[in-house]
């Protein structure tokens, strides 16, 4: 048995929606409750809705510094995304595109929500984006189908299926996060 003690994995939970009345913060809080219950994880939130994104690439963006620092410090990511028009929000795409090295050789998991598809079409689009950025996406996801009636007072009601899916996602994210953190420490990616 390996008794090596390691530092908790730093998990950046990226809330991808900016719309007024958005459900993203409630979904993120639901997920954070499960992540915080694991001693091997240390989650932090990067909320696209609280990040001032530039309108043009290459434009100076001092307001991005806190998000960039949080993304760079992360060992792994969980993207909480709604599905808009069969894909993910434009503001989330801007946040992703404005950072490159921060995602490299790190795992990304997804918690999605939306109508009948539960946001899974957004997740499928995001997988290709993160592959291009040299990130590893976790196979299993958590998805909430038509969740609007489940939100009460800013929190999302729990259910056994979603809790089980979150457990599987966190197991996989932890495995990949630890494996890739060790690999990056041993030999930087790309060398």
């Amino acid at each position: 048995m390996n008794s090596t003690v390691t530092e908790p994995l730093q998990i950046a939970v990226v809330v991808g929606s900016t719309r007024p009345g958005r459900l993203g913060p409630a979904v993120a809080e639901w997920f954070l409750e499960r992540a915080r219950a694991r001693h091997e994880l240390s989650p932090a939130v990067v909320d696209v809705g609280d990040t001032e994104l530039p309108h043009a690439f290459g434009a100076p963006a001092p307001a991005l510094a806190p998000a960039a620092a949080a993304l760079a410090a992360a060992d792994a990511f969980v993207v909480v995304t709604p599905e808009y028009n069969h894909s993910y929000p434009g503001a989330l795409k801007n946040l992703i595109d404005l950072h490159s090295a921060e995602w490299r050789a790190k795992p990304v998991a997804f918690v999605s929500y939306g109508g009948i598809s539960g946001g899974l079409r957004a997740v499928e689009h995001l997988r290709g984006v993160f592959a291009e950025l040299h990130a590893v996406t976790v196979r299993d996801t958590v998805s909430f189908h038509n969740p609007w009636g489940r939100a009460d007072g800013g929190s999302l009601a729990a259910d056994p299926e979603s809790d089980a899916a979150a457990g599987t996602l966190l197991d996989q994210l932890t495995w990949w996060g630890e494996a890739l953190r060790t690999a990056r420490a041993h030999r930087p990616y790309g060398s």
Side-chain angles (χ1 to χ4, degrees):
M1 174 181 231
N2 184 352
S3 62
T4 304
V5 177
T6 59
E7 292 294 317
L9 284 173
Q10 302 299 311
I11 308 296
V13 177
V14 179
V15 182
S17 175
T18 61
R19 286 188 178 178
R22 63 197 174 127
L23 189 60
V27 175
E29 188 54 41
W30 174 90
F31 180 78
L32 285 162
E33 288 174 14
R34 282 126 192 96
R36 289 180 184 128
R38 294 187 174 222
H39 69 279
E40 73 272 21
L41 303 178
S42 178
V45 175
V46 176
D47 190 338
V48 175
D50 294 338
T51 305
E52 194 174 319
L53 298 169
H55 295 289
F57 288 102
L64 276 178
L71 295 174
D75 296 307
F77 306 97
V78 176
V79 176
V80 177
T81 185
E83 181 178 315
Y84 295 161
N85 301 319
H86 287 229
S87 195
Y88 54 91
L92 176 58
K93 179 71 161 116
N94 283 347
L95 179 78
I96 293 167
D97 287 349
L98 290 166
H99 301 88
S100 180
E102 291 85 351
W103 310 108
R104 190 174 291 264
K106 296 178 184 178
V108 181
F110 303 99
V111 176
S112 64
Y113 60 96
I116 195 162
S117 77
L120 293 174
R121 293 178 286 214
V123 169
E124 289 309 309
H125 289 182
L126 284 164
R127 288 186 190 282
V129 171
F130 281 110
E132 187 64 23
L133 294 169
H134 298 261
V136 175
T137 60
V138 171
R139 163 64 176 82
D140 286 275
T141 63
V142 177
S143 63
F144 293 100
H145 305 267
N146 298 310
W148 298 276
R150 293 181 54 190
D152 182 29
S155 63
L156 201 61
D159 68 82
E161 293 84 15
S162 298
D163 287 340
T168 300
L169 179 150
L170 286 166
D171 289 345
Q172 292 176 6
L173 185 68
T174 300
W175 189 93
W176 278 106
E178 289 175 352
L180 291 173
R181 178 171 66 182
T182 300
R184 288 190 314 274
H186 177 70
R187 187 175 100 188
Y189 182 78
S191 64

